């Protein structure tokens, strides 16, 4: 196959490209430039897509003896990831930009361009597995702590036949680094990137304030008493405890958390932890990957609502264009906008977006 290897400049994508070459594919490396003004260097483990990263990716491609190109996808990234990120926070929701990036940039935009150039598939360094059963299935990676199936579930069934995940069967990150070193790849000890890639300093609230402007408003308790002020309700998320800046402590001395964000009145509501517990979730915009499992019938599944969160037993049922979720045990701190992924064992059945939740 002609394979387009997405090369970020990190060790995972480097080993993925090397494995694709070793498997006998005709491989071309491509680095996606996602920033309109990329930094020259990364700051430790923060950020990605720097000029330094593109150089690292090129050196790996040279070592593997494959052609290498840099594709400017910054406009697509700005429109589909960053603009969506700002719009979702402005609406009082909590988006996952990695989900949006995988859906619209790393697969949709990259695949579209790759297919137009005659490539058969895209290989990435994501930790997930594809298994060929009656239908092509997406499964968790062998490396549980690094599993990325949660952020990949959104890509849809049509994409599964056009992607390769060469790292899916590697049980530990240490083995990936060892393999990179054995292959003579200079990125074997390069630190992983984390946090939101376009907020390299990790200050999400500062990024939102810079883009959206200060919008002062009250922080209130459950009775409506003003107990603090904020510079923008968009800077908070359901379940948040730190950084509230409350001026009046709770009468019982217990910590308080953000329990509701009222965007029309620019008000942040706080309360005790138990107010965050939910057992029912209504989701919208489902993406279903399992044609042999019909959510119109009640299904028993595992539900995950965070990239590395715990899976919780649940029953689900599709009602019109939504999937209703009943959790077997309370889940704490779920926010509208979060991705809800449905599992059957290690298999990903589908994904939807949290629209509302309650008890």
């Amino acid at each position: 196959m002609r394979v387009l290897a997405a090369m970020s400049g990190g060790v995972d994508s480097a080993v993925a490209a090397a494995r694709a070459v070793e498997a006998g594919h005709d491989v071309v490396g491509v680095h996606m430039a996602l920033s309109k003004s990329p930094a020259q260097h990364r700051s430790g483990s923060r950020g990605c897509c720097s000029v330094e990263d593109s150089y690292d990716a090129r050196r790996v491609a040279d070592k593997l003896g494959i052609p290498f190109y840099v594709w400017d996808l910054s406009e697509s990234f700005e429109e589909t990831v960053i603009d969506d990120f700002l719009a979702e926070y402005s609406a009082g929701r909590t988006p996952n930009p990695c989900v949006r990036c995988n859906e619209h940039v790393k697969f949709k935009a990259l695949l579209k361009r790759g297919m137009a150039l005659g490539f058969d598939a895209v290989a990435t360094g994501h930790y997930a597995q594809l298994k060929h059963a009656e239908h092509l299935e997406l499964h968790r990676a062998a490396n549980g702590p690094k599993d990325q199936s949660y952020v990949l579930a959104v890509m849809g069934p049509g994409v599964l036949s056009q992607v390769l995940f060469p790292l899916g069967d590697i049980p530990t990150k240490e083995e990936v680094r060892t393999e990179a070193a054995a292959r003579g790849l200079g990125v074997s000890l390069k630190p992983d990137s984390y946090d939101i890639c376009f907020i390299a300093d990790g200050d999400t609230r500062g990024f939102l304030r810079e883009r959206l402007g200060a919008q002062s408003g009250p922080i209130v308790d459950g009775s409506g008493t003003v107990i603090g002020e904020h510079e923008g309700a968009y800077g908070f998320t359901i379940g948040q405890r730190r950084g509230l800046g409350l001026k009046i402590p709770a009468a019982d001395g217990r910590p308080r958390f953000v329990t509701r964000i009222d965007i029309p009145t620019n008000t942040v509501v706080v309360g005790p932890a138990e107010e965050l517990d939910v057992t029912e979730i209504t989701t919208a915009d489902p993406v279903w990957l399992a044609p042999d499992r019909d959510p119109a019938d009640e299904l028993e599944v595992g539900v995950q609502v965070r990239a590395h969160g715990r899976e919780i037993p649940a029953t689900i049922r599709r009602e019109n264009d939504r999937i209703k979720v009943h959790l077997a045990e309370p889940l704490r701190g779920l926010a509208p906008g979060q991705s809800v992924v449905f599992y059957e064992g290690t298999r990903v059945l589908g994904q939807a977006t949290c629209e509302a939740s309650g008890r």
Side-chain angles (χ1 to χ4, degrees), residues 4 71 73 104-119 122 159 162:
L4 193 64
W71 287 359
L73 296 177
H104 291 283
V105 180
K106 291 184 178 177
F107 291 102
K108 184 177 290 184
L110 189 62
L111 266 175
K112 182 178 179 180
R113 187 176 295 191
M115 297 304 110
L117 292 172
F119 288 92
V122 168
V159 176
Q162 298 175 306

Side-chain angles (χ1 to χ4, degrees), residues 151-165:
V151 296
L152 295 170
V154 73
M155 65 184 180
V159 176
L160 291 182
S161 63
Q162 298 175 306
V163 298
L164 301 173
F165 299 128

Side-chain angles (χ1 to χ4, degrees), residues 102-291:
N102 282 321
E103 178 184 10
H104 291 283
V105 180
K106 291 184 178 177
F107 291 102
K108 184 177 290 184
L110 189 62
L111 266 175
K112 182 178 179 180
R113 187 176 295 191
M115 297 304 110
L117 292 172
F119 288 92
D120 302 301
V122 168
T124 76
H126 286 97
Y127 286 86
Q129 296 188 80
L130 293 173
K131 296 186 178 182
H132 296 266
E134 182 180 352
H135 306 279
L136 188 59
E137 299 175 355
L138 176 65
H139 284 256
R140 292 190 185 277
N143 185 343
K146 285 289 185 180
D147 173 58
Q148 292 173 292
S149 61
Y150 173 85
V151 296
L152 295 170
V154 73
M155 65 184 180
V159 176
L160 291 182
S161 63
Q162 298 175 306
V163 298
L164 301 173
F165 299 128
L167 305 188
D169 63 345
I170 303 181
T172 68
K173 183 60 178 270
E174 289 69 26
E175 291 184 44
V176 174
R177 294 192 182 280
T178 298
E179 184 172 326
R183 294 178 183 275
L185 305 181
V187 293
S188 61
L189 296 178
K190 188 173 181 177
D192 293 342
S193 60
Y194 61 91
D195 291 335
I196 300 171
C197 68
F198 54 88
I199 308 179
D201 62 2
D203 183 8
T204 300
R205 189 181 296 181
F207 175 83
L208 292 169
R209 185 169 55 249
E210 179 184 346
R211 292 294 189 100
L212 300 174
Q215 302 173 21
S216 60
I219 301 176
V220 305
D221 62 17
S223 67
T225 301
V226 176
I227 56 176
E229 297 179 351
H230 63 77
E231 294 186 349
Y234 53 70
F236 297 83
T237 188
I238 302 299
Q240 180 176 333
R241 176 186 175 185
R242 297 184 182 277
L244 301 183
L246 302 180
K247 299 178 180 179
I248 302 175
D252 58 7
R254 298 171 62 194
R256 288 178 288 196
F257 302 79
V258 175
T259 59
R260 185 163 57 88
I261 300 170
D262 190 337
I263 292 297
T265 63
N266 195 29
T267 300
V268 176
V269 183
V270 299
E274 55 267 24
E275 291 187 12
L276 296 170
D277 290 344
V278 301
T279 56
E280 304 284 343
I281 309 171
T282 299
T283 67
D285 305 318
V287 176
W288 200 252
L289 301 177

Side-chain angles (χ1 to χ4, degrees), residues 51-96:
V51 174
E52 173 194 15
D53 289 323
S54 68
Y55 291 163
D56 286 342
R58 182 177 295 278
R59 281 189 284 268
V60 169
D62 290 343
K63 180 70 176 179
L64 298 177
I66 61 174
F68 177 81
Y69 301 93
V70 175
W71 287 359
D72 183 0
L73 296 177
S74 60
E75 185 173 339
S76 176
F77 186 78
E78 182 82 25
E79 292 176 354
T80 60
V81 179
I82 297 180
D83 287 354
D84 175 78
F85 183 83
L86 295 171
E88 287 289 275
Y89 268 104
S90 293
R93 295 158 63 87
T94 303
N96 186 318

Side-chain angles (χ1 to χ4, degrees), residues 315-337:
T315 56
I316 63 172
R317 182 188 294 275
R318 184 193 292 272
E319 297 181 7
N320 298 318
D321 60 347
R322 286 167 169 75
I323 293 180
K324 298 294 185 70
V325 182
H326 177 74
L327 299 167
E329 58 187 73
L331 177 67
R332 181 162 290 182
L334 180 64

